[in-house]
Structures are given as C-alpha cells and as structure tokens.
Amino acid sequence: MTELSGGPALPQERRVVTSVPGPKSQELMARKQAAVADGIGTVMPVFAKRAGGGVLEDVDGNSFIDFGSGIAVTGVGNSADAVVRRASAQLAQYTHTCVMVTPYEPYVEVCEELARLTPGDHAKKSALFNSGAEAVENAVKIARSYTGRQAVVVFDHGYHGRTNLTMALTSKNMPYKHGFGPFAPEVYRVPVAYPFRWLTGPENCAEEAAAQAIDQISKQVGAENVAAILIEPVLGEGGFIEPAKGFLPRLAQFAKENGIVFVADEIQSGFCRTGQWFACEDEGIVPDLITTAKGIAGGMPLAAVTGRAEIMDAPHSGGLGGTYGGNPVACAAALGSIETMREMDLPARAKRIEEVMKPRLRKLAEQYDVIGDVRGRGAMLAIELVKPGGKEPDPQVTAALAKSCHEQGLLVLTTGTYGNVMRFLPPMVIGEDLLEEGLDVLEGALAGL
Ligand SMILES: *Cc1c(COP(=O)(O)O)cnc(C)c1O
C-alpha cells in the first residue's frame, strides 16, 4: 500500500490556530516583499512548512485542506512515498548528465510510459522538457516542422503559458500578457463551445461554435496554412470550461481532413485529473500530439510532448532539446508518480471525488444565487459566480469567497477569463472526510457572504 506522505506525522486534519496569515507568515511575507519581484504574486499569503495527502501545513502551525494541489500538480499528494523513494535514489546516483550529452535510462522509461498511457495505439515517441510552456512551444515547433506550415489556431479562453510564443497562444490579457508584447505572429484565435456563456444557449453550442471556428480557420487563415490546432480538452485557466460535447471531435476531424496536427494541451487536465488518464479520452479523441506537465511528476519540474512517431521525428537531430529537459531526478519522480497513479487507481479516485463533490456543489447552487454554473469532471471541478438573477460575472464575490475559505483553513484557487470561477483541484489521494469538511467550509463561507 502506498502511503500518503509529507512526513509520517503529518495529521490529515484542518486546524486553524492563528489568524490567516499568522505572525510567522507575515514576517516571511515582509521578507518576500523586499527580496522577490512583485510580478510573482501570492494566492494565499501563508508560507508552507509541510504538505502531504490532502493537507498543507504552514509555518504558524495552521493546517489547510488542500483543494489546489499547487495548481493541479500534486495529484498523487505532496512528497508521495514512491516519488520520494525513486527521486532520492536518483539524486544519490547522479543529478545531471544532459540527455543530449550522455543519455540515461529514466528518460527513456518515462517516454515508454507516455507511449503506453496516452490515447491511441499507433507508434508514439516523446521529448521531455522542464515546464508546460516549454512543451507547448516544442509541440508548435514539431507541428511546423512536420507540416511545413506556420499558422497555429488556438481558442477563446485558452491558456498555454507565459513565454513569448505561449503568451501569444494564451487568450487572457491580464495578468498574463499585459505590457509584455509584442507577441509572436501566426497565431489565430477562434471561438470555443462554452455552454454557459454561448449566446443562443447551450443546446446548439457545440455545432454553432464548431461551425464558426471552422469557418474562421478556412476563410481567414486558410486550412492549408495551418500547422496545428491547439486546445485544452477541458480549458483550465479560462475557467474549467468543458467544451460542449461534439465540439472537440468536430475540430479533430477537421484537422485530420486538412493535414493539420491536432494538439491536445493536457497540462492541467492530464494524469487522472478528470477521472481518466487524459481528458480527451472522454470523447474518444486521439490527438496527434499531446502536451503534459503539471501532474506528471508529483511536483518535480517535468513536461513532455508525446505523439505520432512520424510527426515527432520531423525535426532534424539536435533540433529539439535544452540543458535540463528530462532531468533524471524529475524523471525518477515521474516514474514514482505514475506508479502511485496505477497502484492507487487514481482515475477511479478522481471519479469518486466527483461523486462526492458535484451533488453538494449542485445543491449549493440551488441554495445560493451567486452560483451560476457547476461543472467539470473528476477532481477538476468548478463553480462560476455571477450577479444573482443573470450571468454577469462577479469577480469580487469570488475573491471574497476564496479569502473567507482561506481564513477558515481551506486552500482554494480562483480562475477564469472573468476572474469569477472557483476551481477545485484536490490531490486525488485526499481522504473523503477532508473532502466533505472542505465543502462544509465552502458552505459556511457562502452563508457568510
Ligand atoms: C499551466 C499550464 C501551462 C503552462 O505550464 P507551465 O509549467 O506553467 O509553463 C500550459 N497549458 C496549460 C493547459 C496549463 O494549465
């Protein structure tokens, strides 16, 4: 049995013993303010001391129920046993050789696992990188090299990172892009099927959005100029938007018909998060390329592009890489993380989290008019907060709700193009008692608004 970790004595409980933030965190925040660039923001101003299973303990002795997983990263829990065991052993053996200088087995093993785990039974290859943004950049490089075309199609509310190319691919200006231009060219943004906000209602959303997107691609860009269509199967930073059923398959089919590389960005939705190994499995989509990061290695920095061997092999030898990409310690951590996912059947646990949380969130939506929508799958769930009686986004109430949860020992994150979505990303190893207790806190915070 794989143990939840974070140290053997880390109690799986919510415990608030000081004001939030407590005195020690406040002292550290002052030091952060003096030494760390203002651009590095803070969601919850407490400093971490230990974390594991479903909780995060701060330097003042407060213990928070973790509904964030460090933004969908520690799905297997913080310092999960198998991650610590494998990464520690690797750390003692060698820390870096650079895969482009002398390769090492853990890198190959991770790529073999990715070939087994990702959708489709075609021949696959992978390349490893350090961050999600880097994986997305490389997916674009690979697609351009394979097709000999330049244009990249992305979607409203999409998020793909903060580097120059990925800023261009990302939809939302503030805080991701504002003041950081000029952005990379040959990026085209088209509508996505966002059921809750589709003007003619959710019923025809998939069909209408797909028609609009395809029309824009065909008429404004020219399908024959498009290297890649890049989409998150569940849009993360855009607000946990599940594209209306039928939208993704239509776009994938259009890509296939036109020799366009279909790229699923599963950096947030991947690795068991939505109750399946990858979210695109939900509609049976087999992407040409898939980008992964966040949940892959239990918190160690690792990212990957995985896809059809003939596409992955398009760039010339030496055309892909980076000094640290696929670092051996991060690869060992990924193997430990994947081992944990298999052993604990995390897709099933994510589904169970949905079973526990969604009915309660739906009930809260009936009770509180500020909740306009409840959505998501598995352990990737959200509520969208609106001005009562309509759909006008309410980012203020969303921020107030998050702050109130934080003060009562529940770590939650907000998101969304309009800043009005509260998202729930618990570690998939979280205990059911903590899940229920976290929802109690949320309920109390809603009552206290
Ligand atoms: C977080 C995220 C990225 C960027 O990953 P980084 O590791 O922060 O560079 C890209 N795409 C999606 C869908 C993400 O959620």
Side-chain angles (χ1 to χ4, degrees):
M1 178 64 192
T2 307
E3 283 294 311
L4 307 183
S5 208
L10 185 66
Q12 294 294 302
E13 65 177 18
R14 177 172 68 103
R15 188 175 67 243
V16 182
V17 294
T18 69
S19 59
V20 175
K24 286 183 180 154
S25 280
Q26 285 181 37
E27 220 177 284
L28 283 161
M29 275 308 283
R31 281 173 55 196
K32 174 178 182 277
Q33 223 139 43
V36 179
D38 284 352
I40 305 294
T42 303
V43 170
M44 189 171 85
V46 305
F47 275 71
K49 186 169 181 193
R50 293 191 297 174
V55 300
L56 179 145
E57 200 181 88
D58 78 2
V59 289
D60 290 290
N62 300 304
S63 176
F64 298 84
I65 298 174
D66 183 6
F67 275 13
S69 300
I71 318 187
V73 170
T74 51
V76 296
N78 249 291
S79 305
D81 261 16
V83 172
V84 172
R85 175 171 37 84
R86 292 224 196 192
S88 304
Q90 182 57 52
L91 196 53
Q93 219 166 352
Y94 55 86
T95 50
H96 172 87
T97 66
C98 186
V99 75
M100 302 177 298
V101 177
T102 51
Y104 37 87
E105 189 175 351
Y107 190 111
V108 178
E109 231 181 311
V110 169
C111 296
E112 289 167 349
E113 284 285 24
L114 285 164
R116 276 191 284 270
L117 294 170
T118 53
D121 48 16
H122 50 277
K124 290 176 211 158
K125 288 192 173 186
S126 293
L128 304 183
F129 303 97
N130 302 292
S131 69
E134 212 187 333
V136 172
E137 292 240 2
N138 278 281
V140 171
K141 281 165 68 171
I142 293 163
R144 283 177 172 161
S145 170
Y146 176 71
T147 57
R149 308 170 179 179
Q150 293 186 352
V152 181
V153 169
V154 290
F155 293 81
D156 287 337
H157 309 288
Y159 178 87
H160 302 288
R162 295 172 180 267
T163 56
N164 187 262
L165 174 58
T166 58
M167 275 194 294
L169 301 169
T170 288
S171 165
K172 188 178 177 180
N173 175 52
M174 197 56 138
Y176 307 123
K177 304 165 76 163
H178 188 76
F180 301 143
F183 304 112
E186 286 307 312
V187 173
Y188 301 89
R189 183 163 294 106
V190 300
V192 73
Y194 183 172
F196 181 66
R197 295 203 173 274
W198 196 253
L199 280 180
T200 58
E203 297 74 29
N204 303 318
C205 171
E207 212 172 287
E208 288 175 13
Q212 283 180 25
I214 287 169
D215 190 62
Q216 286 182 23
I217 298 167
S218 310
K219 300 299 174 248
Q220 296 176 21
V221 193
E224 67 276 23
N225 298 317
V226 178
I229 293 177
L230 169 65
I231 190 163
E232 305 155 79
V234 177
L235 287 81
E237 304 302 305
F240 282 28
I241 301 163
E242 288 178 273
K245 297 270 181 271
F247 180 79
L248 290 173
R250 182 72 195 93
L251 265 293
Q253 184 198 344
F254 174 80
K256 194 172 177 188
E257 287 163 3
N258 291 280
I260 299 167
V261 177
F262 187 82
V263 188
D265 181 349
E266 294 248 18
I267 287 167
Q268 192 154 168
S269 58
F271 284 104
C272 316
R273 187 45 71 184
T274 60
Q276 292 171 298
W277 277 89
F278 295 96
C280 57
E281 292 166 37
D282 188 55
E283 290 186 89
I285 297 199
V286 178
D288 298 314
L289 299 181
I290 179 165
T291 53
T292 51
K294 293 194 168 91
I296 192 174
M300 294 295 285
L302 188 71
V305 184
T306 301
R308 294 185 188 281
E310 68 275 19
I311 301 177
M312 290 298 298
D313 281 339
H316 49 276
S317 177
L320 303 175
T323 306
Y324 293 115
N327 167 274
V329 181
C331 285
L335 295 170
S337 173
I338 291 166
E339 174 189 321
T340 308
M341 291 176 200
R342 276 210 187 91
E343 218 172 90
M344 299 182 78
D345 192 3
L346 288 197
R349 288 183 79 135
K351 282 193 180 124
R352 178 64 195 150
I353 288 170
E354 178 179 345
E355 275 170 26
V356 171
M357 290 191 76
K358 225 171 179 180
R360 282 197 66 183
L361 292 173
R362 288 215 172 103
K363 214 165 137 210
L364 289 175
E366 280 168 26
Q367 247 174 303
Y368 295 96
D369 290 347
V370 290
I371 303 178
D373 196 24
V374 176
R375 58 180 180 249
R377 297 201 296 271
M380 187 172 185
L381 302 170
I383 52 177
E384 177 157 357
L385 294 138
V386 294
K387 302 251 160 79
K391 290 191 175 181
E392 191 188 332
D394 197 338
Q396 284 81 25
V397 90
T398 311
L401 188 62
K403 187 158 183 286
S404 170
C405 289
H406 296 163
E407 285 166 357
Q408 293 166 72
L410 175 66
L411 201 177
V412 285
L413 308 172
T414 62
T415 188
T417 298
Y418 312 106
N420 69 325
V421 174
M422 181 169 279
R423 57 174 153 177
F424 308 109
L425 292 163
M428 286 164 280
V429 296
I430 193 170
E432 229 166 283
D433 50 339
L434 286 182
L435 266 189
E436 297 280 8
E437 192 177 339
L439 289 163
D440 294 342
V441 171
L442 176 69
E443 191 167 350
L446 277 162
L449 277 177

